[in-house]
Amino acid sequence: MKVEAIEKLLMDVKENRIDVEEALSTLKQLPYQDLGFAKIDHHRELRQGYPEVIYCSGKTVDQVVHIVEVMMHRGSNVLGTRATEEMFEAVKKQFSMAAYNESARTITIVQKEIQPSNGYIAVVTGGTSDMPVAEEAAVTAEILGNKVERIYDVGVAGIHRLFSKLELITDARVVIAVAGMEGALASVVGGLVDKPVIAVPTSVGYGANFGGLAALLSMLNSCASGTAVVNIDNGFGAGYMASMINKL
Amino acid sequence: MKVEAIEKLLMDVKENRIDVEEALSTLKQLPYQDLGFAKIDHHRELRQGYPEVIYCSGKTVDQVVHIVEVMMHRGSNVLGTRATEEMFEAVKKQFSMAAYNESARTITIVQKEIQPSNGYIAVVTGGTSDMPVAEEAAVTAEILGNKVERIYDVGVAGIHRLFSKLELITDARVVIAVAGMEGALASVVGGLVDKPVIAVPTSVGYGANFGGLAALLSMLNSCASGTAVVNIDNGFGAGYMASMINKL
Amino acid sequence: MKVEAIEKLLMDVKENRIDVEEALSTLKQLPYQDLGFAKIDHHRELRQGYPEVIYCSGKTVDQVVHIVEVMMHRGSNVLGTRATEEMFEAVKKQFSMAAYNESARTITIVQKEIQPSNGYIAVVTGGTSDMPVAEEAAVTAEILGNKVERIYDVGVAGIHRLFSKLELITDARVVIAVAGMEGALASVVGGLVDKPVIAVPTSVGYGANFGGLAALLSMLNSCASGTAVVNIDNGFGAGYMASMINKL
Amino acid sequence: MKVEAIEKLLMDVKENRIDVEEALSTLKQLPYQDLGFAKIDHHRELRQGYPEVIYCSGKTVDQVVHIVEVMMHRGSNVLGTRATEEMFEAVKKQFSMAAYNESARTITIVQKEIQPSNGYIAVVTGGTSDMPVAEEAAVTAEILGNKVERIYDVGVAGIHRLFSKLELITDARVVIAVAGMEGALASVVGGLVDKPVIAVPTSVGYGANFGGLAALLSMLNSCASGTAVVNIDNGFGAGYMASMINKL
Amino acid sequence: MKVEAIEKLLMDVKENRIDVEEALSTLKQLPYQDLGFAKIDHHRELRQGYPEVIYCSGKTVDQVVHIVEVMMHRGSNVLGTRATEEMFEAVKKQFSMAAYNESARTITIVQKEIQPSNGYIAVVTGGTSDMPVAEEAAVTAEILGNKVERIYDVGVAGIHRLFSKLELITDARVVIAVAGMEGALASVVGGLVDKPVIAVPTSVGYGANFGGLAALLSMLNSCASGTAVVNIDNGFGAGYMASMINKL
Amino acid sequence: MKVEAIEKLLMDVKENRIDVEEALSTLKQLPYQDLGFAKIDHHRELRQGYPEVIYCSGKTVDQVVHIVEVMMHRGSNVLGTRATEEMFEAVKKQFSMAAYNESARTITIVQKEIQPSNGYIAVVTGGTSDMPVAEEAAVTAEILGNKVERIYDVGVAGIHRLFSKLELITDARVVIAVAGMEGALASVVGGLVDKPVIAVPTSVGYGANFGGLAALLSMLNSCASGTAVVNIDNGFGAGYMASMINKL
Amino acid sequence: MKVEAIEKLLMDVKENRIDVEEALSTLKQLPYQDLGFAKIDHHRELRQGYPEVIYCSGKTVDQVVHIVEVMMHRGSNVLGTRATEEMFEAVKKQFSMAAYNESARTITIVQKEIQPSNGYIAVVTGGTSDMPVAEEAAVTAEILGNKVERIYDVGVAGIHRLFSKLELITDARVVIAVAGMEGALASVVGGLVDKPVIAVPTSVGYGANFGGLAALLSMLNSCASGTAVVNIDNGFGAGYMASMINKL
Amino acid sequence: MKVEAIEKLLMDVKENRIDVEEALSTLKQLPYQDLGFAKIDHHRELRQGYPEVIYCSGKTVDQVVHIVEVMMHRGSNVLGTRATEEMFEAVKKQFSMAAYNESARTITIVQKEIQPSNGYIAVVTGGTSDMPVAEEAAVTAEILGNKVERIYDVGVAGIHRLFSKLELITDARVVIAVAGMEGALASVVGGLVDKPVIAVPTSVGYGANFGGLAALLSMLNSCASGTAVVNIDNGFGAGYMASMINKL
């Protein structure tokens, strides 16, 4: 039930087209989501301009194409994560402006111009193998309207590489620190910069890494203040969170 | 906002005491729970007759007494779980009909007569050490208005004891199977009876029991159909779930 | 040994065709299952009308076909879970009324009419990826003679979708809540409805999901009363348990 | 080596008091931290006005008092976390303006006026037992110069309480969601509000909660975007991170 | 129902004191355990001479004394495990021949002479701290009628001590290998002797020992054939199993 | 150094062909294994008649064939575990009496007659999917010279099947209980029979089974005395241990 | 900024080409790595002669070839770990002196002569399946300029094999003990030799081995002093660490 | 059997006091440890000068005093780890030169002068709470005859403190890195220095630290080469290992 519908209902009451009892009964049976417009729709509107997102993993090519069509029809920008090249090829046939980032495994389609932010988000990785997760974060942040600086392969095993880029990291408004293995990068970055750090553990490693558990626990226990953690390999979540912060 | 308030609002509109815009604005700002009465309050009403429950663990004696007073004032029956004797003594000073079950560590106060159910719930334990959890389940089920049969210490190490009570178990409408160590009781009971079984792992045991994990995993993997599991030592949860089923 | 056989034995004693010693010795050597008829067979009979179930995973196509034949011969309805399409094709060659649910991966053959229940079971999922598990639950509940309402993709990330279906969920006799990732759906549903909730964690997710462990622990620790949990991805178990409850 | 020292060195070179070789050798032996002033000190300065923090756990009363004295001498505001009452009494003897928050177990001393922020941070908890962690977060955020709104005991088991406070939560700039047991609050809040959510799992619960692991995994796997997680019971970390975000 | 009762029933049928129908009905209602005598009682009889066992942990002093009284009345030898000195003192007041092993924490009362076995069981430990578990195993084996050789503190860190006792170990019929920390003793003993080895992991150790998990996993993965494992710290279980084997 | 060599050395000393010093020096440098003959070789001899065993997993077909050749040359019987059909085909080309057990995945070659034991080992499984592990145990026990009774698919979900075979199980000298899922079979069997039970958890199951962990913990925590456990899926280990016990 | 650049800067100051302020400002803006030469470069130089290392896993063939080219151009020796044969073939096309160790899966190219060490490193394994990890360690140690003795398949199940090689192990300067399954080898070796032991758990095994966890925990809890542990299957890390120690 | 005894035996053979057969038989029956002198005793001798070590945890005061007396009688230096003050007081009564390190909880008695090493071991900690473990390492290394430099509280949250001490760390022959929480210190130190690093995870921390597991996994997965790890809180093990390396 739209706001207009409620307005009309009140008008009907006022003008005696329906009586109070009937109006009350109608209001009582409103499904939650309709009554909820005041709050839910309000903040949904704030999200205008946000792209719509598809988590492609576990979906068929047809399903992905179909969802993209619906989203394009609504005029949204589109971000597909964990997408295969095959999915991209199928999408591209329909929407030639679709772009694929091989490393991030993302499909992006921009049909509405994106207002880039003033400040930027720094995406920092420990090693080159963390790049796919970092790219997912970067692509997500970009389509959400943020400038992004990529600072890759600056892990603590060669800490002078990190220091040589420190200014670029320090000047960001938000930092995304992506690291596998022991995940020490997040602590080191968190100790050096005075900005919110979103730490992303990756599943890069082997043995007692246990699929990213080592980096995850390391980041959760970071002795550096100003750090919070997202799920293992969750580049999208980090990019989304960083964007929310950057746009405050 | 109560139903009456909305009714009055509509009346005010009808009788031109306020205009439509103002009414709409009031409606829009209604907090969720007020708009939500249709659904939420409706099923809350179904719960009438249910006791109010306090999880006493981690609360001070004073806090417990205070909450009990409020509940008593509302005319509810009261169930306090994980209560110490000290808490009970303090409550009893104010409400002499309060009762304490030492094993279950429950405080119960019945000020409204409970309609007992027709069918009964069987509470079965593997060993005597599982009794505290079993009693918590039994007391919970009883104050919720269920008849309960206690069948304790019939674990699989002496399986003939279980068989000698099989009829009593089979004739229940719902069975609560409480067991620690390897938790095999739930599978054996589930394989023998044709009723829903609520399995409660307990933390009874040592070593590779890991605080009840062994029994929990065992019960979740039960090869007997018709079994579902609650948290380790969660007698209250099992009693509540069994009551819900028994009263369908 | 059937009841008739024991009856005949007693008759033989009575009519002196055998002496007491011989009869006693025969009784003593009865295998357990024969003596056990009183209890075990009794409740087996209650299960009349229940389909016979094959867990197809890890069996060869030939084995599945063979078991189906035996079951069909006994006049039972048949439910095969975790079945491949190849298995279905082979079964269908023999029994043309066999049906396959691609998402649930179930084979069903109904040769005896099923009496549908009055009340219904609501099967609710958090996301579309939880559908295979939900369908296994739904198909299981249906062949066991229950009406089922499917309410999919109403997870807490878009909680207004859940509220818009709340009435349908609340009016069920039993609710099956299927969710992966963080499994919060079970708690939210459990907090809103006043019916027994069977929670099914799924292995949908990645990273610190650890194959469904996150959802499992979440559901076991649910702060909402009236919830019990089955194994990760165990749609069949949830459907079976819900049916047992619904038919009480 | 201070900037002045380097300046003097260059002057000495310029005026031939020392030769280039000697100057080079001096520069080469500069300890890192002295050379590092450009970057490290720079961002340290940004932190001006930040209180100094003591993690009191595992320290003796004497050690805590001593550290507080040093900090007070530097003119800083002081925040002591995980402090006992005994520690507070000892500190108060020396600094009468010291304040103790019993629930949060924090000692705070404010000797420099704090500029409060414009926007506010909402601290939301699932249950009353999560309050100590929430208070640690709130006290931390306040002494860092943020306005804080406390919205406690609005967990998903009684979700209408959450909805009645939704506006207050939505209008915050950052939300801290504190919950134990299954930690579903973080997902529900994350799904309803369009602000960065810092999720804090607490160790409240028992059994398969495994000291907060259930809530931790639940929050890491949240299907709601815009959420990041800190360590179990780490109220301080959440308050610090939220402050950093709020002050961007 | 005893065998005599069934015999009498058959006699009654034979002599027409009751009719067949009535006899059948009586038989049908026999509880399982009564029908089960043929099998269950039979093997129970084999256990004659076995002591009765009380797991004292979690029982009150009064409960322990009471159970001991019942057992003594039945003429059994008695073994109480995990018993406190206080329990022993109370038992000793009633039964002066009760003995207490401080290290094993066992109470034993021998009122029926024990026939010692021919072969012996070797109980081997890695360190002196494993002694309590080893003693529990040894005392259990002894009261079950086995000769026991104790070979303590021969862990792999000083492997020459183990070799100097090798003959004594090799000549046993069964070996119990008790070890904490990394549990390597079980593998080394298993590799050297040609007898069944019961491995008992202990919780001795710290850190990544995780309460005996390290030794448990180590023993389960032993590359030496002829080894099986009991629960962490389960000296009783090892002694009982070894006795069963020794007495074959 | 063989015994003869030492004998010769002593002779040389006696007959003054070498002096004492030289002899001492030679003895001092004896490698451990040579000096060790007294003990190690002695018990090796006891193992005469034992087959030689190859763990084929992770070896190439050529490696397996080569090892078999060496063993056959030594006159041993041969047992290859975890062998593929391809390996078997290659072995069979050389040794036509080689036999393959498809379910157990074992290659066996018997060139020396096996003296069968008097007593037998009962191998019991919960379900049909546990058969490969059970067969590995059975084949191992057989080639080690034991009679074996296979009693499959008697899990606790249909406990009457187990009871109907109870006599066959009780009359064995050793019982091997093989079960996946919740592993309750081991406890039930352990509670019913008075013989040593070797429990073998299998990785059969899914979800919170965690690759056999549920059954493993269940079996380790069994409340039935007289049970010990081998590694998950370790049919060989169980068969070997059971054989050792049976042959005492 | 190179040392020369700073030297020139100082010269410019001396000769009044730039003033002190300007020089100071230049120094202040030096990126960390440039200022850092004093320390970082210094110890980098010590590493002269060390090969450069590529962790090939997760890289494409092209990437590997490219990195090798760069390294060869710098005149370094090259070690590629976790390399496929395909990678090797591609590298060999360009650099014919490249060598491949099939078991270790390493590519090595030696263009600068290696000075072998005086003492040697003993690489010891429990079984033949641990060989790939052991070879990775050995190849790494060799290209780093160490003599290596390989002592394979001397696990504790046949401990006399270990003793026959004890002298060779004891005479090494460092020992690398590589073992899967229960990892007891490390403790036994650590107890026998008086040299630093680097323990390498391998993922060899199955069931409760949990991918090497059993061996890892076993080694961490070793009761033998003088042992430290690297990650599961981390042959490279062990070889590198042993080389560092051997070259002290 | 001592060397002399064998010598005498050979003499007896030579001089015909016993015949060859008898001598052979005596040699054959030598227990392992006596024959083993050649190897085991040899390397034991190398350990001369090493103190004897008591792990006091779990021992009574009397036991500790007794063991100390025996060691003192043998003329050894003594190191007692995990000792209480009460133990120390009792030891001191007998041996006035006994010293107690409160933080390390060590008792040391030096009766034989210790030759200090030339190079030194650097013991580095992340925080002050890691000090007890670090002190245990330092005291152990010192009594083993090593010079030790303590560099405490230089964790990565304030990384400039670490850099200011870098020279002191780099110039050590071995580095012990002690850290709790996320354990990043080990990786950072390992990346900066070119010396063997022994990493010691501590149990300092809370929540998802899981008693030191986070730091342990972090250190095992370190991306810095030249690092090996000992058990959580195992300061003694680190000190011992470092000493072994330093003395090569």
Side-chain angles (χ1 to χ4, degrees), chain B residues 39 43 47 167 192-194 220-221 226 229 231 245, chain C residues 39 43 47 167 192-194 220-221 229 231 241 248:
Chain B
K39 301 278 161 28
H43 76 80
R47 289 188 175 167
E167 200 139 23
L192 287 170
V193 308
D194 202 35
L220 285 168
N221 285 283
V229 184
N231 196 1
I245 296 173
Chain C
K39 301 275 159 33
H43 78 81
R47 289 189 176 168
E167 198 139 24
L192 287 169
V193 308
D194 201 37
L220 284 167
N221 285 283
V229 185
N231 196 1
M241 178 76 173
L248 278 186

mmCIF file of all heavy atoms in Angstrom, chain B residues 39 43 47 167 192-194 220-221 226 229 231 245, chain C residues 39 43 47 167 192-194 220-221 229 231 241 248:
data_model
loop_
_atom_site.group_PDB
_atom_site.id
_atom_site.type_symbol
_atom_site.label_atom_id
_atom_site.label_comp_id
_atom_site.label_asym_id
_atom_site.label_seq_id
_atom_site.Cartn_x
_atom_site.Cartn_y
_atom_site.Cartn_z
ATOM 1 N N LYS B 39 -0.334 -8.254 13.528
ATOM 2 C CA LYS B 39 0.339 -9.556 13.512
ATOM 3 C C LYS B 39 0.960 -9.906 14.869
ATOM 4 O O LYS B 39 0.633 -10.888 15.466
ATOM 5 C CB LYS B 39 1.464 -9.574 12.469
ATOM 6 C CG LYS B 39 1.013 -9.288 11.071
ATOM 7 C CD LYS B 39 0.459 -10.478 10.373
ATOM 8 C CE LYS B 39 -0.394 -10.088 9.182
ATOM 9 N NZ LYS B 39 -0.067 -8.813 8.528
ATOM 10 N N HIS B 43 -0.361 -12.930 17.777
ATOM 11 C CA HIS B 43 0.192 -14.198 18.232
ATOM 12 C C HIS B 43 0.708 -14.095 19.666
ATOM 13 O O HIS B 43 0.799 -15.077 20.362
ATOM 14 C CB HIS B 43 1.222 -14.770 17.259
ATOM 15 C CG HIS B 43 2.548 -14.146 17.268
ATOM 16 N ND1 HIS B 43 3.496 -14.442 18.201
ATOM 17 C CD2 HIS B 43 3.110 -13.242 16.450
ATOM 18 C CE1 HIS B 43 4.584 -13.746 17.954
ATOM 19 N NE2 HIS B 43 4.387 -13.009 16.895
ATOM 20 N N ARG B 47 -0.201 -16.636 23.241
ATOM 21 C CA ARG B 47 0.722 -17.096 24.272
ATOM 22 C C ARG B 47 0.167 -16.866 25.677
ATOM 23 O O ARG B 47 0.812 -17.193 26.648
ATOM 24 C CB ARG B 47 2.078 -16.398 24.108
ATOM 25 C CG ARG B 47 2.827 -16.887 22.884
ATOM 26 C CD ARG B 47 4.234 -16.323 22.848
ATOM 27 N NE ARG B 47 4.958 -16.919 21.711
ATOM 28 C CZ ARG B 47 6.113 -16.457 21.245
ATOM 29 N NH1 ARG B 47 6.664 -15.416 21.790
ATOM 30 N NH2 ARG B 47 6.710 -17.052 20.239
ATOM 31 N N GLU B 167 7.432 -48.875 26.796
ATOM 32 C CA GLU B 167 6.017 -48.554 26.602
ATOM 33 C C GLU B 167 5.719 -47.133 27.074
ATOM 34 O O GLU B 167 5.042 -46.359 26.392
ATOM 35 C CB GLU B 167 5.157 -49.560 27.381
ATOM 36 C CG GLU B 167 3.733 -49.603 26.874
ATOM 37 C CD GLU B 167 3.230 -51.042 26.838
ATOM 38 O OE1 GLU B 167 3.794 -51.881 27.580
ATOM 39 O OE2 GLU B 167 2.295 -51.332 26.067
ATOM 40 N N LEU B 192 13.498 -46.307 18.103
ATOM 41 C CA LEU B 192 12.477 -47.184 18.712
ATOM 42 C C LEU B 192 11.092 -46.569 18.757
ATOM 43 O O LEU B 192 10.099 -47.287 18.695
ATOM 44 C CB LEU B 192 12.906 -47.568 20.135
ATOM 45 C CG LEU B 192 14.058 -48.569 20.238
ATOM 46 C CD1 LEU B 192 14.533 -48.666 21.674
ATOM 47 C CD2 LEU B 192 13.636 -49.948 19.733
ATOM 48 N N VAL B 193 10.995 -45.243 18.891
ATOM 49 C CA VAL B 193 9.670 -44.647 19.042
ATOM 50 C C VAL B 193 9.284 -43.863 17.800
ATOM 51 O O VAL B 193 10.138 -43.438 17.030
ATOM 52 C CB VAL B 193 9.577 -43.725 20.285
ATOM 53 C CG1 VAL B 193 10.061 -44.437 21.528
ATOM 54 C CG2 VAL B 193 10.329 -42.442 20.054
ATOM 55 N N ASP B 194 8.002 -43.686 17.630
ATOM 56 C CA ASP B 194 7.462 -43.046 16.439
ATOM 57 C C ASP B 194 6.913 -41.678 16.777
ATOM 58 O O ASP B 194 5.883 -41.261 16.257
ATOM 59 C CB ASP B 194 6.341 -43.965 15.910
ATOM 60 C CG ASP B 194 6.089 -43.693 14.446
ATOM 61 O OD1 ASP B 194 7.071 -43.398 13.741
ATOM 62 O OD2 ASP B 194 4.927 -43.733 14.026
ATOM 63 N N LEU B 220 23.258 -34.550 16.231
ATOM 64 C CA LEU B 220 22.981 -33.916 14.941
ATOM 65 C C LEU B 220 23.115 -34.909 13.797
ATOM 66 O O LEU B 220 22.467 -34.783 12.768
ATOM 67 C CB LEU B 220 23.949 -32.745 14.707
ATOM 68 C CG LEU B 220 23.657 -31.483 15.499
ATOM 69 C CD1 LEU B 220 24.837 -30.538 15.410
ATOM 70 C CD2 LEU B 220 22.399 -30.793 14.988
ATOM 71 N N ASN B 221 23.963 -35.894 13.974
ATOM 72 C CA ASN B 221 24.208 -36.877 12.921
ATOM 73 C C ASN B 221 23.384 -38.138 13.106
ATOM 74 O O ASN B 221 23.634 -39.137 12.434
ATOM 75 C CB ASN B 221 25.689 -37.248 12.900
ATOM 76 C CG ASN B 221 26.536 -36.156 12.291
ATOM 77 O OD1 ASN B 221 26.559 -36.027 11.075
ATOM 78 N ND2 ASN B 221 27.178 -35.354 13.114
ATOM 79 N N GLY B 226 13.245 -38.150 12.691
ATOM 80 C CA GLY B 226 12.304 -37.662 13.685
ATOM 81 C C GLY B 226 12.973 -37.116 14.926
ATOM 82 O O GLY B 226 12.412 -37.131 16.014
ATOM 83 N N VAL B 229 17.578 -31.175 17.547
ATOM 84 C CA VAL B 229 18.516 -30.982 18.636
ATOM 85 C C VAL B 229 18.449 -29.545 19.158
ATOM 86 O O VAL B 229 18.257 -28.615 18.379
ATOM 87 C CB VAL B 229 19.952 -31.289 18.147
ATOM 88 C CG1 VAL B 229 20.959 -31.207 19.279
ATOM 89 C CG2 VAL B 229 20.010 -32.649 17.476
ATOM 90 N N ASN B 231 20.549 -26.705 22.053
ATOM 91 C CA ASN B 231 21.909 -26.411 22.514
ATOM 92 C C ASN B 231 22.307 -27.324 23.688
ATOM 93 O O ASN B 231 21.460 -27.842 24.408
ATOM 94 C CB ASN B 231 21.993 -24.943 22.944
ATOM 95 C CG ASN B 231 23.425 -24.443 23.067
ATOM 96 O OD1 ASN B 231 24.373 -25.185 22.807
ATOM 97 N ND2 ASN B 231 23.589 -23.198 23.472
ATOM 98 N N ILE B 245 4.975 -28.392 20.814
ATOM 99 C CA ILE B 245 4.535 -29.516 19.979
ATOM 100 C C ILE B 245 3.358 -30.228 20.633
ATOM 101 O O ILE B 245 2.353 -30.511 19.990
ATOM 102 C CB ILE B 245 5.708 -30.507 19.772
ATOM 103 C CG1 ILE B 245 6.835 -29.831 18.991
ATOM 104 C CG2 ILE B 245 5.238 -31.768 19.055
ATOM 105 C CD1 ILE B 245 8.111 -30.650 18.870
ATOM 106 N N LYS C 39 6.063 -54.518 21.038
ATOM 107 C CA LYS C 39 6.385 -53.095 21.010
ATOM 108 C C LYS C 39 6.788 -52.623 19.624
ATOM 109 O O LYS C 39 6.198 -51.745 19.051
ATOM 110 C CB LYS C 39 7.541 -52.797 21.974
ATOM 111 C CG LYS C 39 7.283 -53.164 23.392
ATOM 112 C CD LYS C 39 6.560 -52.106 24.163
ATOM 113 C CE LYS C 39 5.869 -52.651 25.398
ATOM 114 N NZ LYS C 39 6.553 -53.772 26.037
ATOM 115 N N HIS C 43 4.525 -50.169 16.893
ATOM 116 C CA HIS C 43 4.713 -48.793 16.417
ATOM 117 C C HIS C 43 5.111 -48.762 14.944
ATOM 118 O O HIS C 43 4.889 -47.787 14.254
ATOM 119 C CB HIS C 43 5.647 -47.985 17.314
ATOM 120 C CG HIS C 43 7.099 -48.244 17.147
ATOM 121 N ND1 HIS C 43 7.832 -47.678 16.155
ATOM 122 C CD2 HIS C 43 7.951 -49.005 17.873
ATOM 123 C CE1 HIS C 43 9.098 -48.060 16.274
ATOM 124 N NE2 HIS C 43 9.190 -48.873 17.316
ATOM 125 N N ARG C 47 3.247 -46.567 11.540
ATOM 126 C CA ARG C 47 3.943 -45.905 10.439
ATOM 127 C C ARG C 47 3.348 -46.274 9.088
ATOM 128 O O ARG C 47 3.814 -45.818 8.064
ATOM 129 C CB ARG C 47 5.427 -46.266 10.472
ATOM 130 C CG ARG C 47 6.143 -45.608 11.635
ATOM 131 C CD ARG C 47 7.638 -45.800 11.540
ATOM 132 N NE ARG C 47 8.302 -45.069 12.642
ATOM 133 C CZ ARG C 47 9.566 -45.214 12.974
ATOM 134 N NH1 ARG C 47 10.317 -46.041 12.308
ATOM 135 N NH2 ARG C 47 10.086 -44.518 13.956
ATOM 136 N N GLU C 167 1.997 -13.552 7.801
ATOM 137 C CA GLU C 167 0.720 -14.211 8.109
ATOM 138 C C GLU C 167 0.760 -15.675 7.647
ATOM 139 O O GLU C 167 0.360 -16.581 8.383
ATOM 140 C CB GLU C 167 -0.424 -13.469 7.417
ATOM 141 C CG GLU C 167 -1.749 -13.810 8.015
ATOM 142 C CD GLU C 167 -2.607 -12.542 8.126
ATOM 143 O OE1 GLU C 167 -2.347 -11.582 7.359
ATOM 144 O OE2 GLU C 167 -3.496 -12.511 8.996
ATOM 145 N N LEU C 192 9.189 -14.389 15.940
ATOM 146 C CA LEU C 192 7.938 -13.806 15.441
ATOM 147 C C LEU C 192 6.753 -14.760 15.501
ATOM 148 O O LEU C 192 5.613 -14.323 15.654
ATOM 149 C CB LEU C 192 8.127 -13.337 13.987
ATOM 150 C CG LEU C 192 8.981 -12.078 13.807
ATOM 151 C CD1 LEU C 192 9.312 -11.864 12.344
ATOM 152 C CD2 LEU C 192 8.258 -10.865 14.375
ATOM 153 N N VAL C 193 6.999 -16.068 15.353
ATOM 154 C CA VAL C 193 5.861 -16.988 15.293
ATOM 155 C C VAL C 193 5.789 -17.829 16.558
ATOM 156 O O VAL C 193 6.775 -18.019 17.253
ATOM 157 C CB VAL C 193 5.914 -17.914 14.053
ATOM 158 C CG1 VAL C 193 6.092 -17.108 12.788
ATOM 159 C CG2 VAL C 193 6.963 -18.972 14.209
ATOM 160 N N ASP C 194 4.621 -18.336 16.818
ATOM 161 C CA ASP C 194 4.365 -19.063 18.053
ATOM 162 C C ASP C 194 4.170 -20.545 17.750
ATOM 163 O O ASP C 194 3.331 -21.211 18.341
ATOM 164 C CB ASP C 194 3.099 -18.478 18.685
ATOM 165 C CG ASP C 194 3.052 -18.790 20.166
ATOM 166 O OD1 ASP C 194 4.127 -18.769 20.787
ATOM 167 O OD2 ASP C 194 1.959 -19.077 20.667
ATOM 168 N N LEU C 220 21.766 -23.213 16.903
ATOM 169 C CA LEU C 220 21.772 -23.888 18.209
ATOM 170 C C LEU C 220 21.735 -22.875 19.352
ATOM 171 O O LEU C 220 21.218 -23.149 20.428
ATOM 172 C CB LEU C 220 23.027 -24.753 18.358
ATOM 173 C CG LEU C 220 23.007 -26.063 17.593
ATOM 174 C CD1 LEU C 220 24.402 -26.669 17.568
ATOM 175 C CD2 LEU C 220 22.021 -27.055 18.198
ATOM 176 N N ASN C 221 22.290 -21.695 19.116
ATOM 177 C CA ASN C 221 22.352 -20.677 20.144
ATOM 178 C C ASN C 221 21.223 -19.673 20.044
ATOM 179 O O ASN C 221 21.260 -18.635 20.706
ATOM 180 C CB ASN C 221 23.693 -19.938 20.050
ATOM 181 C CG ASN C 221 24.830 -20.771 20.594
ATOM 182 O OD1 ASN C 221 24.975 -20.888 21.792
ATOM 183 N ND2 ASN C 221 25.608 -21.387 19.710
ATOM 184 N N VAL C 229 17.080 -27.960 16.006
ATOM 185 C CA VAL C 229 17.952 -27.912 14.839
ATOM 186 C C VAL C 229 18.225 -29.319 14.318
ATOM 187 O O VAL C 229 18.333 -30.268 15.104
ATOM 188 C CB VAL C 229 19.293 -27.234 15.217
ATOM 189 C CG1 VAL C 229 20.196 -27.054 14.014
ATOM 190 C CG2 VAL C 229 19.048 -25.903 15.907
ATOM 191 N N ASN C 231 20.734 -31.554 11.239
ATOM 192 C CA ASN C 231 22.088 -31.486 10.664
ATOM 193 C C ASN C 231 22.141 -30.520 9.473
ATOM 194 O O ASN C 231 21.127 -30.255 8.824
ATOM 195 C CB ASN C 231 22.515 -32.901 10.211
ATOM 196 C CG ASN C 231 24.012 -33.013 9.957
ATOM 197 O OD1 ASN C 231 24.759 -32.050 10.135
ATOM 198 N ND2 ASN C 231 24.455 -34.184 9.536
ATOM 199 N N MET C 241 10.704 -34.665 10.555
ATOM 200 C CA MET C 241 10.385 -34.193 11.911
ATOM 201 C C MET C 241 9.124 -33.322 11.876
ATOM 202 O O MET C 241 8.239 -33.466 12.722
ATOM 203 C CB MET C 241 11.574 -33.393 12.444
ATOM 204 C CG MET C 241 11.388 -32.795 13.820
ATOM 205 S SD MET C 241 11.535 -34.064 15.132
ATOM 206 C CE MET C 241 11.495 -33.046 16.621
ATOM 207 N N LEU C 248 0.605 -35.104 14.800
ATOM 208 C CA LEU C 248 0.252 -35.453 16.196
ATOM 209 C C LEU C 248 -1.246 -35.231 16.402
ATOM 210 O O LEU C 248 -1.783 -34.209 15.985
ATOM 211 C CB LEU C 248 1.048 -34.598 17.179
ATOM 212 C CG LEU C 248 2.461 -35.056 17.491
ATOM 213 C CD1 LEU C 248 3.056 -34.194 18.592
ATOM 214 C CD2 LEU C 248 2.484 -36.509 17.935
#
